[in-house]
Amino acid sequence: MTAAKEPSFRDSVDLMFNRAVALMDLEPGLEEKIRVCNATYTVRFGVRLRGQIHTFTGYRSVHSEHMEPVKGGIRFAMGVNQDEVEALAALMTYKCALVEAPFGGSKGGLRIDPRQWDEHELERITRRFAYELIKRDLINPSQNVPAPDMGTSEREMAWIADQYKRMNTTDINARACVTGKPINAGGIQGRTEATGRGVQYALQEFFRHPEDVKLANLSGKLDGKRVVIQGLGNVGYHAAKFLSEEDGCIITAIVEHDGALINEKGLNIEEVRNWIGKHAGVKGFPDAEYVPEGAKVLEKECDILIPAAMEGVTNITNAANINASLIIEAANGPVTAGADQILREKGCVIIPDMFANAGGVTVSYFEWVKNLSHIRFGRMGRRQEESRHQLVVDELERLSGDKNLGWTLSPDFKQRYLRGAGELELVRSGLDDTMRAAYQSMRDVWHGRDEVTDLRTAAYLVSIGKVAASYRALGL
Ligand code: NAD
């Protein structure tokens, strides 16, 4: 996908990092300490399947341990390699710092095409990979906590959690060894949707600032904005669903691995998702024009482009043709350093990955805290909150009756006001707060320093500043 002259993913991340640190006044040596990846473990292991031994290659990279545990997803894909996991681990460090999740950065991957294996085979492979990482403390509640990424979901996280528990039978915090688990295996409400939900909150916050919207040559609110999205997996599906169903965005194109769908009137996300579920691709979906060469559709004119599939899809070969005013990087590294420059020169505003897709790690942080505290959020306070609200409603109704004021509370208001916050409401509230605060911190730098002309540099400046402060506090 990436053109020959393009730097590797890892180099691309470093180039963006270097652009930001050139504007900072870091002491000699600290800059390099933050940039480099601390360690990358490569494992090759065999599993007997279908009558023969198959050897798999996996990685777990730890970028920075200025805070522990370190955190980052595990990816199952054929393209997984050391350069990629190191780039993704570095992005995790900056992402966690930006959204104030108290973790260092890590990432893992297994070179496998999950579609080639049955569920029980995948379970054996996943458990074996987890075993290799657990015995080296590369999965551990206090040292290294994975989560889902491309090609993995709550199913794999449940297998990993169970594998850890089997190997650490007396660890009372065993469930905190991995996040993104199903609810019945120690997960948290709202984790599956979290990254897509975070993309929605990020866009909502961006559109709260008319000056920022104007810089992207747009105006008004999210309602009616034409969106092209690439990848209808976990992140892309949830982002597209919430933006179209709740914010009035029109999804004019969906780019998937086997081609793209176009419908200027807007695609129904649930219907496309169901179609993909049944047909393993978008081809043949009624009610849309099908374009076999999906990548070309990234160049389609739109207000907002959401790459939500993989890295490097907008690179020096196609950046000049991109016709979007605003790009929000739901995937990690979808815009290469070279493309970033071309797009900036064109006046395109890019909401960077380390912020845009931080919803996942934010809610993973809540899940980890839930696992360590062994209690669901809202369990102690919800009913107490409801009874206090009931007191207010009763008093208002009494006053209205006593004084013959003639007004009543609307049933809708009463119902909404009386309901105490459960876990899902609290998770969404915490996520929204996190995305707003992180955006503000980037925005202050973006608008506050003349030499900072883009949100990515602003994001790097904020996060590198925080990581540097942690290292200084450690006496480095
Ligand atoms: P996923 O595996 O659930 O979905 C990926 C989707 O992209 C699939 O529908 C796949 O068919 C599609 N796809 C693959 N190759 C494609 C191509 N060449 N063109 C178009 N579509 C293609 O993965 P995900 O978890 O949604 O992750 C997507 C991106 O978001 C990755 O970059 C990942 O690192 C990032 N991310 C994920 C999370 C998370 O919580 N899952 C969190 C942060 C960042």
Side-chain angles (χ1 to χ4, degrees):
M1 181 70 65
T2 308
K5 280 203 198 124
E6 200 97 48
S8 74
F9 187 10
R10 177 89 186 95
D11 290 341
S12 200
V13 171
D14 283 352
L15 282 168
M16 292 168 178
F17 174 93
N18 292 342
R19 226 164 71 76
V21 287
L23 304 175
M24 298 178 83
D25 195 17
L26 290 184
E27 49 272 50
L30 184 55
E31 171 186 324
E32 195 193 355
K33 175 67 212 79
I34 296 174
R35 184 176 45 76
V36 298
C37 204
N38 287 5
T40 301
Y41 171 67
T42 306
V43 60
R44 293 177 192 87
F45 58 89
V47 186
R48 181 174 285 279
L49 299 159
R50 304 178 190 177
Q52 70 175 89
I53 294 174
H54 295 263
T55 302
F56 297 91
T57 305
Y59 304 88
R60 186 79 183 156
S61 178
V62 175
H63 174 259
S64 175
E65 291 150 292
H66 67 289
M67 286 199 190
E68 284 188 316
V70 294
K71 192 126 192 35
I74 289 186
R75 172 176 288 196
F76 282 6
M78 282 311 284
V80 164
N81 59 60
Q82 181 166 347
D83 184 273
E84 182 187 76
V85 285
E86 290 190 356
L88 291 165
L91 278 174
M92 281 307 296
T93 295
Y94 310 135
K95 190 182 304 184
C96 291
L98 183 67
V99 297
E100 299 190 336
F103 304 123
S106 183
K107 201 81 181 191
L110 187 64
R111 198 179 300 150
I112 184 174
D113 179 357
R115 279 176 280 213
Q116 299 298 314
W117 301 97
D118 297 336
E119 186 167 2
H120 75 278
E121 293 169 330
L122 269 177
E123 178 175 352
R124 288 186 56 201
I125 300 163
T126 305
R127 283 183 181 276
R128 184 61 211 281
F129 182 36
Y131 167 82
E132 296 293 337
L133 298 181
I134 293 163
K135 72 179 184 191
R136 290 170 180 87
D137 286 333
L138 288 166
I139 295 178
N140 181 302
S142 57
Q143 273 179 264
N144 198 322
V145 183
D149 193 72
M150 240 169 92
T152 56
S153 66
E154 59 175 33
R155 180 184 68 174
E156 286 76 14
M157 303 306 116
W159 293 335
I160 294 172
D162 185 63
Q163 187 65 29
Y164 180 88
K165 182 73 187 153
R166 287 184 191 192
M167 294 166 69
N168 296 273
T169 49
T170 56
D171 185 346
I172 194 167
N173 292 322
R175 283 183 153 181
C177 76
V178 65
T179 57
K181 301 176 292 290
I183 294 290
N184 58 16
I188 193 167
Q189 299 283 349
R191 174 59 184 89
T192 306
E193 66 167 43
T195 310
R197 183 66 78 183
V199 172
Q200 176 196 30
Y201 288 162
L203 279 173
Q204 286 176 350
E205 180 60 12
F206 181 84
F207 277 86
R208 273 188 203 107
H209 301 280
E211 319 89 269
D212 301 2
V213 176
K214 203 167 162 211
L215 284 171
N217 274 321
L218 293 169
S219 61
K221 300 281 172 205
L222 268 173
D223 190 31
K225 293 288 176 292
R226 292 159 311 138
V227 174
V228 171
I229 189 155
Q230 182 191 36
L232 212 64
N234 176 295
V235 179
Y237 160 69
H238 286 105
K241 177 181 166 69
F242 300 145
L243 287 167
S244 59
E245 291 178 4
E246 297 173 17
D247 295 293
C249 289
I250 303 162
I251 313 294
T252 55
I254 294 171
V255 185
E256 253 296 332
H257 68 95
D258 66 328
L261 298 176
I262 299 180
N263 183 339
E264 296 302 334
K265 291 196 191 121
L267 289 149
N268 182 307
I269 300 305
E270 279 306 321
E271 285 175 10
V272 178
R273 173 83 161 185
N274 288 340
W275 184 269
I276 296 174
K278 284 193 197 122
H279 302 88
V282 291
K283 192 175 175 189
F285 179 77
D287 212 17
E289 178 195 343
Y290 171 71
V291 181
E293 203 190 335
K296 264 282 170 216
V297 177
L298 290 176
E299 299 170 12
K300 181 176 153 46
E301 205 250 319
C302 64
D303 298 317
I304 307 171
L305 173 63
I306 311 182
M310 58 199 287
E311 60 265 19
V313 292
T314 305
N315 48 57
I316 51 176
T317 65
N318 66 355
N321 301 331
I322 296 292
N323 245 316
S325 315
L326 177 66
I327 298 179
I328 177 159
E329 297 182 324
N332 282 309
V335 175
T336 63
D340 187 67
Q341 186 179 346
I342 297 169
L343 288 162
R344 272 187 282 117
E345 285 165 6
K346 277 175 61 148
C348 175
V349 170
I350 302 176
I351 302 180
D353 46 7
M354 78 170 79
F355 165 67
N357 65 38
V361 75
T362 301
V363 177
S364 275
Y365 167 39
F366 301 155
E367 180 178 333
W368 181 72
V369 171
K370 175 186 180 180
N371 293 152
L372 294 179
S373 53
H374 300 269
I375 188 165
R376 136 174 83 75
F377 289 105
R379 182 162 175 184
M380 300 296 279
R382 182 178 192 170
R383 303 300 169 197
Q384 205 260 355
E385 187 189 350
E386 286 181 356
S387 56
R388 289 175 68 86
H389 286 182
Q390 186 70 56
L391 274 178
V392 174
V393 165
D394 289 349
E395 190 63 6
L396 283 172
E397 288 182 334
R398 187 188 64 76
L399 281 171
S400 165
D402 281 2
K403 309 265 184 217
N404 277 328
L405 295 176
W407 49 255
T408 51
L409 300 174
S410 74
D412 182 50
F413 166 82
K414 269 174 67 173
Q415 197 213 351
R416 286 169 57 191
Y417 184 66
L418 286 175
R419 197 175 55 226
E423 189 166 79
L424 185 60
E425 289 83 9
L426 291 170
V427 162
R428 287 182 181 160
S429 156
L431 175 58
D432 196 10
D433 184 61
T434 302
M435 297 307 288
R436 289 191 202 203
Y439 186 78
Q440 288 302 329
S441 66
M442 285 190 309
R443 187 171 192 270
D444 288 348
V445 176
W446 187 26
H447 294 305
R449 289 181 62 171
D450 290 343
E451 67 278 33
V452 180
T453 52
D454 64 305
L455 274 167
R456 192 190 312 278
T457 306
Y460 270 100
L461 286 171
V462 173
S463 61
I464 297 167
K466 287 184 180 166
V467 178
S470 296
Y471 273 123
R472 283 191 205 104
L474 292 174
L476 249 184

